[in-house]
Coordinates of all heavy atoms in Angstrom, one line a residue:
R492 N -10.8 -14.9 3.2 CA -11.2 -15.2 1.9 C -10.0 -15.9 1.2 O -8.9 -15.4 1.2 CB -11.4 -13.9 1.1 CG -12.6 -13.1 1.5 CD -12.5 -11.8 0.7 NE -13.1 -10.8 1.6 CZ -13.1 -9.5 1.3 NH1 -12.5 -9.1 0.2 NH2 -13.5 -8.6 2.2
G493 N -10.2 -17.1 0.7 CA -9.1 -17.8 0.1 C -9.4 -17.8 -1.4 O -10.5 -17.3 -1.9
G494 N -8.5 -18.4 -2.1 CA -8.6 -18.5 -3.6 C -8.3 -17.4 -4.4 O -8.0 -16.3 -3.8
A495 N -8.4 -17.6 -5.7 CA -8.1 -16.5 -6.6 C -9.1 -15.4 -6.7 O -10.3 -15.8 -6.5 CB -7.8 -17.1 -8.0
R496 N -8.8 -14.2 -6.8 CA -9.6 -13.1 -6.9 C -9.8 -12.6 -8.4 O -8.8 -12.7 -9.1 CB -9.3 -12.0 -6.1 CG -9.3 -12.2 -4.5 CD -8.6 -11.1 -3.8 NE -8.7 -11.3 -2.4 CZ -7.7 -11.8 -1.7 NH1 -6.7 -12.3 -2.3 NH2 -7.9 -12.0 -0.4
T497 N -11.0 -12.3 -8.8 CA -11.0 -11.8 -10.1 C -10.5 -10.4 -10.0 O -10.3 -9.7 -9.1 CB -12.5 -11.5 -10.5 OG1 -13.2 -10.6 -9.7 CG2 -13.3 -12.9 -10.5
P498 N -10.0 -9.8 -11.3 CA -9.4 -8.4 -11.3 C -10.4 -7.4 -10.6 O -9.9 -6.5 -9.9 CB -9.2 -8.2 -12.7 CG -9.0 -9.5 -13.3 CD -9.9 -10.4 -12.6
A499 N -11.6 -7.5 -11.0 CA -12.7 -6.6 -10.4 C -12.8 -6.7 -8.9 O -12.7 -5.7 -8.1 CB -14.0 -6.8 -11.0
A500 N -12.7 -7.9 -8.3 CA -12.8 -8.1 -7.0 C -11.5 -7.5 -6.2 O -11.6 -6.9 -5.2 CB -13.0 -9.6 -6.6
L501 N -10.3 -7.8 -6.8 CA -9.2 -7.3 -6.3 C -9.1 -5.8 -6.3 O -8.7 -5.1 -5.3 CB -8.0 -7.9 -7.1 CG -6.6 -7.7 -6.5 CD1 -6.5 -8.1 -5.1 CD2 -5.6 -8.2 -7.3
R502 N -9.6 -5.2 -7.3 CA -9.7 -3.7 -7.4 C -10.6 -3.1 -6.3 O -10.3 -2.2 -5.7 CB -10.2 -3.2 -8.8 CG -9.2 -3.3 -9.8 CD -9.6 -2.9 -11.2 NE -8.6 -3.1 -12.2 CZ -7.6 -2.3 -12.5 NH1 -7.4 -1.2 -11.7 NH2 -6.7 -2.5 -13.3
R503 N -11.7 -3.8 -6.1 CA -12.6 -3.3 -5.0 C -11.9 -3.5 -3.6 O -12.0 -2.6 -2.8 CB -13.9 -4.2 -5.0 CG -14.9 -3.8 -6.0 CD -16.3 -4.4 -5.9 NE -16.2 -5.8 -5.8 CZ -16.3 -6.6 -7.0 NH1 -16.4 -6.0 -8.2 NH2 -16.3 -7.8 -6.8
E504 N -11.2 -4.6 -3.5 CA -10.5 -4.9 -2.3 C -9.5 -3.8 -2.0 O -9.3 -3.3 -0.9 CB -9.9 -6.2 -2.2 CG -9.2 -6.5 -0.9 CD -8.8 -7.9 -0.7 OE1 -9.0 -8.8 -1.6 OE2 -8.2 -8.3 0.4
I505 N -8.7 -3.4 -3.1 CA -7.6 -2.4 -3.0 C -8.3 -1.1 -2.5 O -7.8 -0.5 -1.6 CB -6.9 -2.2 -4.3 CG1 -6.0 -3.5 -4.6 CG2 -6.1 -0.9 -4.4 CD1 -5.4 -3.5 -6.1
V506 N -9.4 -0.7 -3.1 CA -9.9 0.6 -2.8 C -10.5 0.5 -1.4 O -10.1 1.5 -0.6 CB -11.1 1.0 -3.8 CG1 -11.9 2.2 -3.3 CG2 -10.5 1.3 -5.2
S507 N -11.2 -0.4 -1.0 CA -11.7 -0.5 0.4 C -10.5 -0.7 1.4 O -10.7 -0.2 2.6 CB -12.7 -1.7 0.5 OG -12.2 -2.9 0.4
S508 N -9.4 -1.3 1.1 CA -8.4 -1.6 2.1 C -7.4 -0.4 2.2 O -6.5 -0.4 3.1 CB -7.6 -2.8 1.6 OG -8.5 -4.0 1.7
T509 N -7.6 0.7 1.5 CA -6.7 1.9 1.7 C -7.4 3.0 2.4 O -6.9 4.1 2.5 CB -6.2 2.3 0.3 OG1 -7.3 2.5 -0.5 CG2 -5.3 1.3 -0.3
V510 N -8.7 2.7 2.9 CA -9.5 3.7 3.7 C -9.8 3.0 5.0 O -10.3 2.0 5.1 CB -10.7 4.1 2.9 CG1 -11.5 5.1 3.7 CG2 -10.4 4.6 1.5
K511 N -9.3 3.8 6.1 CA -9.7 3.4 7.5 C -11.1 3.6 7.7 O -11.6 4.8 7.5 CB -8.8 4.1 8.4 CG -8.9 3.6 9.8 CD -8.1 4.4 10.8 CE -8.4 4.0 12.3 NZ -9.7 4.3 12.7
Q512 N -11.8 2.6 8.3 CA -13.2 2.7 8.6 C -13.3 3.5 9.9 O -12.5 3.4 10.8 CB -13.9 1.4 8.6 CG -13.8 0.5 7.5 CD -14.3 1.2 6.2 OE1 -15.5 1.7 6.2 NE2 -13.6 1.1 5.1
S513 N -14.4 4.2 10.1 CA -14.5 5.0 11.3 C -14.5 4.2 12.6 O -14.0 4.7 13.6 CB -15.7 5.9 11.2 OG -16.9 5.1 11.2
N514 N -15.0 3.0 12.5 CA -15.2 2.2 13.7 C -14.0 1.2 13.9 O -14.0 0.4 14.7 CB -16.5 1.4 13.7 CG -16.7 0.5 12.6 OD1 -15.8 0.6 11.6 ND2 -17.5 -0.5 12.7
E515 N -12.9 1.4 13.1 CA -11.9 0.4 13.1 C -10.7 1.0 13.8 O -10.3 2.1 13.5 CB -11.5 0.2 11.5 CG -10.5 -0.7 11.1 CD -10.3 -0.9 9.7 OE1 -10.4 0.1 8.9 OE2 -10.2 -2.0 9.2
S516 N -10.0 0.2 14.5 CA -8.7 0.6 15.1 C -7.6 0.6 14.0 O -7.7 0.0 13.0 CB -8.3 -0.5 16.2 OG -7.9 -1.7 15.6
A517 N -6.5 1.4 14.4 CA -5.4 1.5 13.5 C -4.8 0.1 13.2 O -4.4 -0.2 12.1 CB -4.4 2.5 14.0
E518 N -4.7 -0.7 14.2 CA -4.2 -2.0 14.1 C -5.0 -3.0 13.1 O -4.4 -3.6 12.3 CB -3.9 -2.7 15.4 CG -2.7 -2.1 16.1 CD -2.1 -3.1 17.1 OE1 -2.7 -4.3 17.2 OE2 -1.2 -2.7 17.9
D519 N -6.3 -2.8 13.3 CA -7.1 -3.6 12.3 C -7.0 -3.1 10.9 O -7.1 -3.8 10.0 CB -8.6 -3.5 12.8 CG -8.9 -4.2 14.1 OD1 -8.1 -5.1 14.4 OD2 -9.9 -4.1 14.7
F520 N -6.9 -1.8 10.7 CA -6.7 -1.2 9.4 C -5.4 -1.7 8.8 O -5.5 -2.2 7.6 CB -6.7 0.3 9.5 CG -6.2 0.9 8.2 CD1 -7.0 1.0 7.1 CD2 -4.9 1.4 8.1 CE1 -6.5 1.5 5.8 CE2 -4.4 2.0 6.9 CZ -5.2 2.0 5.7
Y521 N -4.3 -1.6 9.6 CA -3.0 -2.2 9.0 C -3.0 -3.7 8.7 O -2.4 -4.2 7.7 CB -1.8 -1.7 9.9 CG -1.6 -0.3 9.7 CD1 -1.9 0.6 10.7 CD2 -1.1 0.2 8.5 CE1 -1.7 2.0 10.7 CE2 -0.9 1.7 8.3 CZ -1.1 2.4 9.4 OH -1.0 3.9 9.2
A522 N -3.7 -4.5 9.5 CA -3.9 -5.9 9.3 C -4.6 -6.1 8.0 O -4.2 -6.9 7.2 CB -4.6 -6.5 10.5
R523 N -5.7 -5.4 7.7 CA -6.5 -5.5 6.6 C -5.7 -5.1 5.4 O -5.7 -5.8 4.3 CB -7.8 -4.7 6.8 CG -8.8 -4.8 5.7 CD -10.2 -4.3 6.0 NE -10.1 -3.0 6.6 CZ -10.3 -1.9 5.8 NH1 -10.3 -2.0 4.4 NH2 -10.2 -0.7 6.3
F524 N -5.0 -4.0 5.4 CA -4.2 -3.5 4.4 C -3.2 -4.5 4.1 O -2.9 -4.8 2.9 CB -3.6 -2.1 4.8 CG -2.6 -1.6 3.8 CD1 -2.9 -1.0 2.7 CD2 -1.1 -1.9 3.9 CE1 -2.0 -0.5 1.7 CE2 -0.3 -1.5 2.9 CZ -0.7 -0.8 1.8
A525 N -2.5 -5.2 5.0 CA -1.4 -6.1 4.8 C -1.9 -7.4 4.0 O -1.3 -7.8 3.1 CB -0.8 -6.5 6.1
R526 N -3.2 -7.7 4.4 CA -3.8 -8.9 3.7 C -3.9 -8.5 2.2 O -3.6 -9.4 1.3 CB -5.1 -9.3 4.3 CG -4.9 -10.0 5.7 CD -6.2 -10.6 6.1 NE -7.3 -9.7 6.3 CZ -7.4 -9.0 7.5 NH1 -6.7 -9.2 8.5 NH2 -8.4 -8.1 7.5
M527 N -4.5 -7.4 1.9 CA -4.7 -6.9 0.5 C -3.4 -6.8 -0.1 O -3.1 -7.2 -1.3 CB -5.5 -5.6 0.6 CG -5.7 -5.0 -0.8 SD -4.3 -3.9 -1.4 CE -4.2 -2.6 -0.2
Y528 N -2.4 -6.2 0.5 CA -1.1 -5.9 -0.1 C -0.4 -7.3 -0.5 O 0.1 -7.4 -1.6 CB -0.1 -5.2 1.0 CG 1.2 -4.9 0.3 CD1 1.4 -3.7 -0.3 CD2 2.3 -5.7 0.5 CE1 2.6 -3.4 -0.9 CE2 3.5 -5.4 -0.1 CZ 3.7 -4.2 -0.7 OH 4.9 -3.9 -1.3
Q529 N -0.5 -8.3 0.3 CA 0.1 -9.6 0.0 C -0.6 -10.2 -1.1 O -0.1 -10.9 -2.0 CB 0.0 -10.4 1.2 CG 1.0 -10.1 2.2 CD 1.0 -10.8 3.6 OE1 -0.2 -11.1 4.1 NE2 2.1 -11.2 4.1
A530 N -2.0 -10.0 -1.3 CA -2.7 -10.5 -2.5 C -2.2 -9.9 -3.7 O -2.1 -10.4 -4.7 CB -4.2 -10.4 -2.2
V531 N -2.1 -8.6 -3.7 CA -1.6 -7.8 -4.9 C -0.2 -8.2 -5.1 O 0.1 -8.4 -6.3 CB -1.8 -6.3 -4.6 CG1 -1.2 -5.5 -5.7 CG2 -3.3 -5.9 -4.5
A532 N 0.7 -8.3 -4.2 CA 2.1 -8.7 -4.4 C 2.3 -10.0 -5.0 O 3.2 -10.2 -5.7 CB 2.8 -8.6 -3.1
A533 N 1.3 -10.9 -4.9 CA 1.3 -12.2 -5.6 C 1.0 -12.2 -7.1 O 1.2 -13.1 -7.7 CB 0.4 -13.1 -4.8
T534 N 0.5 -11.0 -7.5 CA 0.1 -10.8 -8.9 C 0.9 -9.9 -9.7 O 0.7 -9.8 -10.9 CB -1.4 -10.4 -9.0 OG1 -1.5 -9.0 -8.6 CG2 -2.3 -11.2 -8.2
T535 N 1.7 -9.0 -9.0 CA 2.5 -8.0 -9.7 C 3.9 -7.8 -9.1 O 3.9 -7.9 -7.8 CB 1.8 -6.7 -9.9 OG1 2.6 -5.8 -10.6 CG2 1.5 -6.2 -8.6
P536 N 4.9 -7.5 -9.8 CA 6.2 -7.2 -9.2 C 6.2 -5.7 -8.6 O 7.2 -5.4 -7.9 CB 7.2 -7.2 -10.3 CG 6.4 -7.0 -11.6 CD 5.1 -7.5 -11.3
S537 N 5.2 -4.9 -8.9 CA 5.2 -3.6 -8.4 C 3.8 -3.3 -7.6 O 2.9 -2.5 -8.2 CB 5.3 -2.6 -9.6 OG 6.5 -2.8 -10.3
P538 N 3.7 -3.9 -6.5 CA 2.4 -3.8 -5.7 C 2.1 -2.3 -5.3 O 1.0 -1.9 -5.4 CB 2.5 -4.6 -4.7 CG 3.9 -5.0 -4.4 CD 4.6 -4.9 -5.8
N539 N 3.2 -1.6 -4.9 CA 2.8 -0.2 -4.5 C 2.3 0.7 -5.6 O 1.4 1.5 -5.3 CB 4.2 0.5 -4.0 CG 4.7 -0.1 -2.6 OD1 4.1 -1.1 -2.2 ND2 5.7 0.5 -2.1
Q540 N 2.8 0.5 -6.8 CA 2.4 1.4 -7.9 C 1.1 0.9 -8.3 O 0.2 1.8 -8.4 CB 3.4 1.1 -9.0 CG 3.0 1.9 -10.3 CD 3.9 1.7 -11.4 OE1 5.0 1.1 -11.3 NE2 3.5 2.1 -12.5
L541 N 0.7 -0.3 -8.3 CA -0.6 -0.7 -8.7 C -1.6 -0.3 -7.7 O -2.7 0.2 -8.0 CB -0.7 -2.2 -8.8 CG -2.1 -2.8 -9.2 CD1 -2.4 -2.4 -10.6 CD2 -2.1 -4.4 -9.2
I542 N -1.3 -0.6 -6.4 CA -2.3 0.0 -5.4 C -2.5 1.4 -5.4 O -3.7 1.9 -5.3 CB -1.8 -0.5 -3.9 CG1 -1.8 -2.1 -3.9 CG2 -2.7 0.1 -2.8 CD1 -1.0 -2.6 -2.7
A543 N -1.5 2.2 -5.6 CA -1.6 3.7 -5.7 C -2.5 4.1 -6.8 O -3.4 4.8 -6.7 CB -0.3 4.3 -5.7
E544 N -2.2 3.4 -8.0 CA -3.0 3.7 -9.2 C -4.5 3.5 -9.0 O -5.4 4.2 -9.3 CB -2.4 3.1 -10.4 CG -1.1 3.7 -10.9 CD -0.5 2.9 -12.0 OE1 -1.1 2.0 -12.5 OE2 0.7 3.2 -12.4
V545 N -4.8 2.3 -8.5 CA -6.1 1.8 -8.4 C -6.9 2.6 -7.3 O -8.0 3.0 -7.6 CB -6.2 0.3 -8.1 CG1 -7.6 -0.2 -7.7 CG2 -5.7 -0.5 -9.3
A546 N -6.2 2.9 -6.2 CA -6.9 3.5 -5.1 C -6.9 5.1 -5.4 O -7.7 5.7 -4.7 CB -6.2 3.3 -3.8
G547 N -6.2 5.6 -6.3 CA -6.1 7.0 -6.5 C -5.4 7.8 -5.5 O -5.8 8.9 -5.2
I548 N -4.4 7.2 -4.9 CA -3.6 7.9 -3.8 C -2.1 7.8 -4.1 O -1.7 7.0 -5.0 CB -3.9 7.4 -2.4 CG1 -3.6 5.8 -2.3 CG2 -5.4 7.6 -2.0 CD1 -3.9 5.3 -0.9
S549 N -1.4 8.6 -3.5 CA 0.1 8.6 -3.8 C 0.9 7.4 -3.5 O 0.5 6.7 -2.4 CB 0.8 9.8 -3.2 OG 0.9 9.6 -1.8
S550 N 1.8 7.0 -4.2 CA 2.7 5.9 -3.8 C 3.4 6.1 -2.6 O 3.7 5.2 -1.9 CB 3.6 5.5 -5.0 OG 4.5 6.6 -5.2
N551 N 3.7 7.4 -2.2 CA 4.3 7.6 -0.9 C 3.4 7.3 0.3 O 4.0 6.7 1.3 CB 4.7 9.1 -0.8 CG 5.9 9.6 -1.5 OD1 6.7 8.7 -1.9 ND2 6.0 10.8 -2.0
L552 N 2.2 7.5 0.1 CA 1.2 7.1 1.2 C 1.1 5.5 1.3 O 1.2 5.0 2.4 CB -0.2 7.6 1.0 CG -1.2 7.3 2.0 CD1 -0.7 7.9 3.4 CD2 -2.5 8.0 1.7
I553 N 1.3 4.9 0.2 CA 1.3 3.4 0.2 C 2.6 2.9 0.9 O 2.5 2.0 1.7 CB 1.1 2.8 -1.3 CG1 -0.2 3.2 -1.9 CG2 1.4 1.3 -1.2 CD1 -1.5 2.7 -1.1
K554 N 3.6 3.6 0.6 CA 5.0 3.2 1.3 C 4.8 3.4 2.8 O 5.3 2.6 3.6 CB 6.1 4.1 0.7 CG 6.5 3.7 -0.7 CD 7.5 4.6 -1.2 CE 7.8 4.4 -2.7 NZ 8.7 5.3 -3.4
Q555 N 4.1 4.5 3.1 CA 4.0 4.6 4.6 C 3.1 3.6 5.2 O 3.5 3.1 6.3 CB 3.3 6.0 4.9 CG 4.2 7.2 4.5 CD 3.4 8.5 4.7 OE1 2.4 8.7 5.2 NE2 4.1 9.5 4.1
Y556 N 2.0 3.2 4.5 CA 1.2 2.1 5.0 C 2.0 0.8 5.2 O 1.8 0.1 6.1 CB 0.1 1.9 4.1 CG -1.1 3.0 4.1 CD1 -2.1 2.9 3.2 CD2 -1.1 4.0 5.0 CE1 -3.1 3.8 3.1 CE2 -2.1 4.9 5.0 CZ -3.1 4.8 4.0 OH -4.1 5.7 4.1
V557 N 2.8 0.5 4.2 CA 3.6 -0.7 4.1 C 4.6 -0.7 5.2 O 4.8 -1.6 6.0 CB 4.2 -0.9 2.8 CG1 5.4 -2.0 2.8 CG2 3.3 -1.2 1.7
H558 N 5.3 0.5 5.4 CA 6.2 0.7 6.5 C 5.6 0.3 7.9 O 6.1 -0.4 8.7 CB 6.8 2.0 6.5 CG 7.8 2.2 7.6 ND1 9.2 1.7 7.5 CD2 7.7 2.9 8.7 CE1 9.8 2.1 8.6 NE2 8.9 2.8 9.4
R559 N 4.4 0.9 8.1 CA 3.7 0.8 9.3 C 3.3 -0.6 9.6 O 3.4 -1.2 10.7 CB 2.6 1.7 9.6 CG 1.8 1.7 10.7 CD 2.7 2.3 11.9 NE 2.0 2.3 13.1 CZ 2.4 2.0 14.3 NH1 3.8 1.7 14.4 NH2 1.7 1.9 15.4
A560 N 2.7 -1.3 8.6 CA 2.2 -2.7 8.6 C 3.4 -3.6 9.0 O 3.3 -4.6 9.7 CB 1.5 -3.1 7.3
R561 N 4.5 -3.3 8.4 CA 5.7 -4.1 8.7 C 6.2 -3.9 10.1 O 6.5 -4.9 10.8 CB 6.9 -3.7 7.7 CG 6.7 -4.3 6.4 CD 8.2 -4.3 5.6 NE 7.9 -5.0 4.4 CZ 7.9 -4.6 3.2 NH1 8.2 -3.3 3.0 NH2 7.7 -5.2 2.1
A562 N 6.2 -2.7 10.6 CA 6.5 -2.3 12.0 C 5.6 -3.1 12.9 O 6.0 -3.5 14.0 CB 6.5 -0.9 12.2
L563 N 4.3 -3.2 12.6 CA 3.4 -3.8 13.5 C 3.4 -5.4 13.3 O 2.7 -6.1 14.0 CB 2.0 -3.4 13.1 CG 1.7 -1.9 13.5 CD1 0.4 -1.5 12.9 CD2 1.7 -1.8 15.1
G564 N 4.2 -5.9 12.4 CA 4.4 -7.3 12.2 C 3.3 -7.9 11.3 O 3.3 -9.3 11.2
Y565 N 2.6 -7.2 10.6 CA 1.6 -7.7 9.7 C 2.2 -8.0 8.3 O 1.5 -8.8 7.5 CB 0.4 -6.7 9.5 CG -0.4 -6.5 10.8 CD1 -0.5 -5.2 11.2 CD2 -1.0 -7.5 11.4 CE1 -1.1 -5.0 12.5 CE2 -1.6 -7.3 12.5 CZ -1.7 -6.0 13.1 OH -2.4 -5.9 14.4
L566 N 3.3 -7.4 8.0 CA 4.0 -7.8 6.8 C 5.5 -8.3 7.0 O 6.1 -7.7 8.0 CB 4.1 -6.7 5.8 CG 2.8 -6.2 5.0 CD1 3.0 -4.9 4.3 CD2 2.3 -7.4 4.1
P567 N 6.0 -9.1 6.3 CA 7.4 -9.5 6.5 C 8.4 -8.5 6.1 O 8.0 -7.5 5.4 CB 7.6 -10.8 5.7 CG 6.6 -10.6 4.6 CD 5.4 -9.9 5.1
P568 N 9.6 -8.4 6.6 CA 10.6 -7.5 6.1 C 10.8 -7.5 4.5 O 10.5 -8.5 3.9 CB 12.0 -7.9 6.7 CG 11.6 -8.8 7.8 CD 10.3 -9.5 7.4
S569 N 11.1 -6.3 4.0 CA 11.2 -6.2 2.6 C 12.4 -7.1 2.2 O 13.3 -7.4 2.9 CB 11.5 -4.8 2.1 OG 12.7 -4.4 2.6
R570 N 12.5 -7.5 0.9 CA 13.6 -8.4 0.5 C 14.9 -7.7 0.6 O 15.9 -8.4 0.9 CB 13.4 -8.7 -1.1 CG 12.2 -9.7 -1.3 CD 12.0 -10.0 -2.7 NE 10.8 -10.9 -2.8 CZ 10.0 -10.7 -3.8 NH1 10.1 -9.8 -4.8 NH2 8.9 -11.4 -3.9
R571 N 14.9 -6.4 0.5 CA 16.2 -5.7 0.6 C 16.7 -5.7 2.1 O 17.8 -5.6 2.2 CB 16.1 -4.2 0.1 CG 16.1 -4.1 -1.4 CD 16.0 -2.7 -1.8 NE 14.6 -2.5 -2.4 CZ 14.0 -1.4 -2.3 NH1 14.4 -0.3 -1.8 NH2 12.8 -1.4 -3.0
S572 N 15.8 -5.6 3.0 CA 16.3 -5.6 4.4 C 16.4 -6.9 5.1 O 16.8 -6.9 6.2 CB 15.3 -4.7 5.2 OG 14.0 -5.3 5.3
R573 N 16.3 -7.9 4.4 CA 16.5 -9.4 5.0 C 17.9 -9.7 5.2 O 18.8 -9.4 4.6 CB 15.8 -10.4 4.1 CG 14.4 -10.4 4.1 CD 13.7 -11.4 3.4 NE 12.3 -11.4 3.4 CZ 11.4 -12.1 2.7 NH1 11.9 -12.8 1.8 NH2 10.2 -11.8 2.8

């Protein structure tokens, strides 16, 4: 999916991208999460906080997802660790 997303579409994507589907591998989940994370990060300086609030889950869980997505190579290193 390219192009700009509407706020409603981005919210739907956030919610769906923070839940692993039963037929989905862990790697596929983290790849999908990373794509959503990058879209959110392009719109806000605090993507973890926004994702946690919209998805209704803890920011610590989002941090764990980000950490794992980075470890798998789906997200670049954080700005602090470069």
Side-chain angles (χ1 to χ4, degrees):
R492 291 176 219 172
R496 293 173 178 92
T497 65
L501 189 55
R502 287 181 182 279
R503 282 191 303 275
E504 186 175 357
I505 288 170
V506 171
S507 70
S508 295
T509 55
V510 177
K511 184 181 174 297
Q512 305 301 312
S513 61
N514 62 343
E515 182 176 43
S516 72
E518 286 202 4
D519 287 344
F520 167 73
Y521 287 109
R523 188 166 51 88
F524 174 84
R526 286 189 301 272
M527 176 275 299
Y528 184 88
Q529 290 174 314
V531 173
T534 67
T535 180
S537 304
N539 289 8
Q540 181 180 348
L541 178 64
I542 294 167
E544 287 173 7
V545 170
I548 57 180
S549 75
S550 60
N551 283 336
L552 184 56
I553 299 303
K554 289 176 189 176
Q555 291 173 16
Y556 289 173
V557 169
H558 178 78
R559 184 70 179 141
R561 284 196 171 114
L563 291 169
Y565 296 121
L566 288 173
S569 69
R570 289 185 187 137
R571 281 185 248 149
S572 66
R573 286 183 183 172

